[in-house]
């Protein structure tokens, strides 16, 4: 349901959303630097690096505002996903989740890993 703040999801919830992403139009956004994204990311995730948001804003704007978006970064002390979630909320998106474990947890727990700079 729509919210004024991002929901926080853990690995199990993120994996559940990942398994439904194609039939329910769930978007994953990687808020990390493009080099980190290229080294490894959740398959199908869109790289919208928070630090380069201005030159990547069209990627965010291409996502319908009523769709569910899961944003992640490295996890741990990384706050890029939280920062990007706040921007998305300010732009009218209301179904925003932050995957709090981020890449740090996903890369250890999941076999679903993609590499390279382009979308799958």
């Amino acid at each position: 349901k729509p919210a004024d703040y991002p929901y926080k999801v853990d690995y199990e919830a993120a994996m559940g959303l990942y398994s439904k992403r194609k039939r329910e139009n769930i978007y994953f956004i990687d808020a990390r630097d493009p080099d980190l994204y290229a080294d490894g990311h959740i398959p199908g995730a869109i790289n919208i690096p928070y630090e380069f948001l201005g030159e990547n804003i069209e990627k965010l704007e291409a996502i319908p505002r009523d769709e569910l978006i899961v944003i992640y970064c490295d996890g741990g002390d990384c706050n890029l996903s939280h920062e990007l979630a706040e921007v998305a909320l300010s732009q009218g998106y209301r179904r925003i989740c932050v995957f709090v474990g981020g890449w740090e947890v996903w890369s250890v727990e999941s076999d679903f890993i993609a590499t390279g700079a382009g979308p799958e």
Side-chain angles (χ1 to χ4, degrees):
K1 68 177 188 173
D4 293 325
Y5 55 88
Y7 293 96
K8 293 181 180 177
V9 296
D10 62 8
Y11 171 76
E12 287 184 13
M15 181 54 81
L17 293 170
Y18 178 79
S19 69
K20 297 186 217 179
R21 74 194 184 288
K22 290 186 179 174
R23 70 177 179 272
E24 294 189 22
N25 292 332
I26 299 170
Y27 295 83
F28 278 74
I29 295 177
D30 187 321
R32 301 175 303 148
D33 181 89
D35 290 338
L36 293 174
Y37 176 86
D39 288 344
H41 57 271
I42 297 173
I46 302 163
N47 186 215
I48 304 178
Y50 179 74
E51 294 175 346
F52 304 106
L53 183 58
E55 55 200 76
N56 287 280
I57 195 70
E58 73 283 349
K59 291 180 185 178
L60 179 61
E61 292 172 347
I63 299 171
R65 283 177 167 69
D66 59 344
E67 299 293 357
L68 180 61
I69 299 173
V70 179
I71 303 173
Y72 71 95
C73 54
D74 276 330
D77 292 333
C78 181
N79 287 315
L80 298 175
S81 57
H82 297 276
E83 299 291 338
L84 186 56
E86 292 298 324
V87 170
L89 287 169
S90 75
Q91 297 296 311
Y93 293 89
R94 290 288 175 255
R95 298 181 68 210
I96 303 290
C97 296
V98 171
F99 171 24
V100 292
W103 183 247
E104 178 180 59
V105 172
W106 187 276
S107 64
V108 172
E109 298 292 330
S110 176
D111 292 330
F112 299 106
I113 294 174
T115 58
E120 288 75 47

